[in-house]
Amino acid sequence: MSEINEALGYFKKRPVYEKLFKAYKKKYESLGKIAGTAVLTGLDSVEKLDLSDFLMKDFTEEKEVRVSVKLFEKALLKSKFSNLTTENILARYFGEELRTKKERNEDDEIKKAEYLAEIREYTDKTYINDWLQGVFYGKAEGAGLIIRNYNADKEELKNTLIKLVRAIPLMPDFTKGEKKELLAVFAAKTTANPHFFDDDTIAQSLLIAFLKDYYKYEYEDGLSESENKSNILFKAGIIKDSLSNDVIAYGIRGRYADGSLHQGMEGFFAQKEPLKLSLFTLGNLEETFTTKEIKRVYIVENPAVFSILISHFPDGAFICSYGQIRRAVFMLLDLFDKNITFSYAGDFDPEGLLIAEKLKKRYGERLTFWKYEPEIYLKYISEKKLTEQRIKKLDGVSDTILLRIAKLIRKEGRAAYQESMIGEYLNEMNFK
């Protein structure tokens, strides 16, 4: 057996030397040489004895064991491994050449540059290369995500990025003029895997990061992370969830970019019937509108209230959000001409006021609150008590009009629901 192999066998049979050699290795990485003293703590009696035997110094009573490099090399010269150096032993022990932190960093930077250059071979788009440069060497959106995945699995990240940079130029917004496309269809077309951009994949996270950086998009307050992701994908021409996200509308028509009318919506309009509009439908419209006479669209939270209103006012224009405002509601409202204004009515409870606040922040003076009057709240107050947890949500209300209702809800501890207020709405006759 060679001297080095015999030495490795000796030291690897005694685990304490792994601790000692790791300490010496760190010394080399910082100093460029093996020098100084290693301080070992928490050693058991066997470990102390193993050190004492080789180093010819009694450590058995010491709580903190200090082993200088000089002491180790002195013992090495007196041992049967005298022809070996400390550097040689450490290099073979760890199976790699000893290098300083500076040398390691320089090597890592070279490897990173080569890695990035390989990915760039798959795209000639300046806007993509600028983003890649930013996430690898700057603070572009997605930089943290890149670093984590680069350190975890470089090959998987590379494969994902190559598919991503090849797919991005094929998004409808980048090809210009194409109709919006479902996310799964886009993924299948560009990567041969319809699930490539599914939720909770690194591919979707990187795509969202790129789009946020490209559009300088800031997540909207009041929207969930999922809704914000849907927004940014839609901006690029991709519909993330086309059917489960919808809105009920009445008296509303739609027009495509070429000026033609959406015939399905025309049929419901002519028959004076409500219809569900999904993101798939809304995503391909250029605008929504009503009749020339109608300048105001009424939005209600509750489907029962919506049904009664359209039965009493068949020539009006109404939207039912049925609870929390989803992407489809915003998309429908955004498609209206700026001359169209909105009136909103919802429940007088913490969640309802927050929905109203969200709409007001988005549409400003275009949206007014319908029947948000303290006397109406007191008139229709329910018997059901609100929990403290629900009342706490009122902290998110800041609009002056809504604060008047919020103050009463805090005082009374109860809500008022819009199903009880139908008579108040029916007394509002001006739907133009």
Side-chain angles (χ1 to χ4, degrees):
M1 181 182 294
S2 68
E3 189 174 355
I4 183 63
N5 288 335
E6 189 177 357
L8 291 176
Y10 176 87
F11 291 122
K12 287 191 174 182
K13 284 181 181 178
R14 297 159 176 80
V16 69
Y17 286 100
E18 182 176 1
K19 298 178 182 179
L20 178 65
F21 291 167
K22 280 183 177 179
Y24 285 166
K25 188 168 177 279
K26 285 184 178 180
K27 294 286 186 182
Y28 185 90
E29 289 172 348
S30 61
L31 302 173
K33 60 181 179 178
I34 302 174
T37 299
V39 180
L40 306 178
T41 58
L43 300 183
D44 60 31
S45 57
V46 174
E47 290 174 320
K48 291 178 182 178
L49 187 59
D50 285 339
L51 284 176
S52 299
D53 286 346
F54 183 78
L55 297 173
M56 295 175 291
K57 180 179 178 180
D58 187 7
F59 294 108
T60 55
E61 300 300 322
E62 296 185 22
K63 291 184 178 180
E64 184 180 80
V65 176
R66 304 174 68 86
V67 183
S68 69
V69 174
K70 287 183 178 181
L71 176 63
F72 180 82
E73 291 181 337
K74 182 179 178 181
L76 190 63
L77 286 172
K78 293 182 178 180
S79 73
K80 55 184 175 180
F81 312 131
S82 59
N83 290 323
L84 302 177
T85 64
T86 308
E87 287 88 344
N88 183 234
I89 292 173
L90 263 60
R92 291 292 299 275
Y93 188 93
F94 293 108
E96 61 181 13
E97 181 185 352
L98 294 180
R99 291 182 296 165
T100 65
K101 285 184 179 179
K102 181 180 179 182
E103 290 170 336
R104 285 183 181 276
N105 290 338
E106 289 173 350
D107 288 346
D108 289 344
E109 289 302 308
I110 292 171
K111 289 178 181 178
K112 185 192 290 187
E114 292 172 346
Y115 182 92
L116 181 55
E118 185 177 347
I119 296 168
R120 280 178 162 169
E121 291 178 3
Y122 292 87
T123 181
D124 60 355
K125 305 298 182 183
T126 301
Y127 60 88
I128 295 177
N129 277 312
D130 287 347
W131 176 72
L132 288 171
Q133 181 71 20
V135 291
F136 274 94
Y137 293 105
K139 296 182 179 180
E141 192 73 39
L145 184 64
I146 287 287
I147 291 171
R148 288 193 299 275
N149 285 277
Y150 179 81
N151 292 332
D153 192 330
K154 294 178 177 60
E155 198 60 31
E156 182 182 356
L157 176 63
K158 182 195 296 182
N159 292 334
T160 300
L161 281 171
I162 288 172
K163 290 178 180 178
L164 177 66
V165 301
R166 295 172 73 174
I168 287 171
L170 301 178
M171 300 183 82
D173 188 58
F174 292 92
T175 55
K176 304 298 180 185
E178 291 191 8
K179 286 188 175 181
K180 288 178 171 56
E181 197 165 38
L182 294 174
L183 181 61
V185 174
F186 171 73
K189 182 178 74 175
T190 57
T191 72
N193 177 5
H195 301 292
F196 186 73
F197 292 114
D198 278 1
D199 290 341
D200 300 322
T201 62
I202 180 179
Q204 186 186 110
S205 297
L206 288 171
L207 176 60
I208 296 296
F210 166 79
L211 293 174
K212 284 183 68 180
D213 188 84
Y214 182 81
Y215 291 115
K216 308 305 178 191
Y217 181 88
E218 297 289 339
Y219 274 8
E220 293 184 32
D221 292 336
L223 292 185
S224 67
E225 184 176 0
S226 177
E227 288 173 316
N228 272 302
K229 286 181 179 179
S230 294
N231 280 359
I232 188 65
L233 285 168
F234 186 82
K235 193 173 182 66
I238 298 294
I239 299 174
K240 184 171 181 283
D241 183 3
S242 64
L243 298 177
S244 64
N245 196 316
D246 54 36
V247 56
I248 303 175
Y250 176 89
I252 292 170
R253 308 162 73 186
R255 182 179 287 117
Y256 294 112
D258 63 5
S260 62
L261 297 175
H262 186 291
Q263 293 303 313
M265 295 177 71
E266 285 297 295
F268 279 91
F269 180 80
Q271 293 296 118
K272 295 187 181 298
E273 294 180 5
L275 77 157
K276 275 191 175 184
L277 295 170
S278 68
L279 288 183
F280 186 84
T281 299
L282 294 167
N284 291 312
L285 294 178
E286 180 69 17
E287 67 169 333
T288 51
F289 61 100
T290 61
T291 63
K292 291 183 179 179
E293 294 78 17
I294 294 178
K295 302 298 181 185
R296 180 173 291 275
V297 175
Y298 285 78
I299 310 163
V300 295
E301 181 181 347
N302 187 275
V305 175
F306 174 84
S307 298
I308 292 174
L309 287 173
I310 65 176
S311 66
H312 280 73
F313 303 100
D315 295 326
F318 301 90
I319 293 171
C320 178
S321 63
Y322 50 97
Q324 286 296 328
I325 303 297
R326 294 186 287 176
R327 173 62 185 153
V329 179
F330 286 137
M331 190 180 299
L332 175 57
L333 297 179
D334 290 348
L335 286 169
F336 279 103
D337 182 270
K338 299 297 183 184
N339 292 322
I340 295 294
T341 55
F342 310 119
S343 286
Y344 178 75
D347 291 332
F348 290 168
D349 65 0
E351 295 80 7
L353 295 190
L354 289 175
I355 291 171
E357 175 105 5
K358 185 188 299 186
L359 285 166
K360 185 65 174 178
K361 285 182 177 179
R362 188 179 183 95
Y363 298 104
E365 294 183 359
R366 287 183 68 195
L367 184 137
T368 56
F369 296 126
W370 190 21
K371 299 297 181 180
Y372 278 71
E373 301 162 14
E375 54 269 29
I376 290 180
Y377 165 77
L378 293 171
K379 182 177 180 181
Y380 297 101
I381 191 171
S382 72
E383 293 300 319
K384 187 175 181 180
K385 296 286 288 185
L386 297 171
T387 64
E388 287 298 321
Q389 186 178 9
R390 292 184 67 191
I391 291 175
K392 180 66 176 175
K393 294 179 181 179
L394 293 172
D395 293 346
V397 176
S398 60
D399 182 87
T400 304
I401 293 175
L402 299 179
L403 281 172
R404 295 186 301 171
I405 307 295
K407 183 178 180 180
L408 287 172
I409 293 176
R410 289 183 189 277
K411 179 182 177 182
E412 301 294 334
R414 292 178 288 167
Y417 298 103
Q418 67 172 167
E419 293 95 326
S420 304
M421 309 176 205
I422 290 175
E424 300 292 336
Y425 304 137
L426 294 179
N427 289 332
E428 176 66 71
M429 299 300 296
N430 182 22
F431 282 90
K432 295 185 179 180

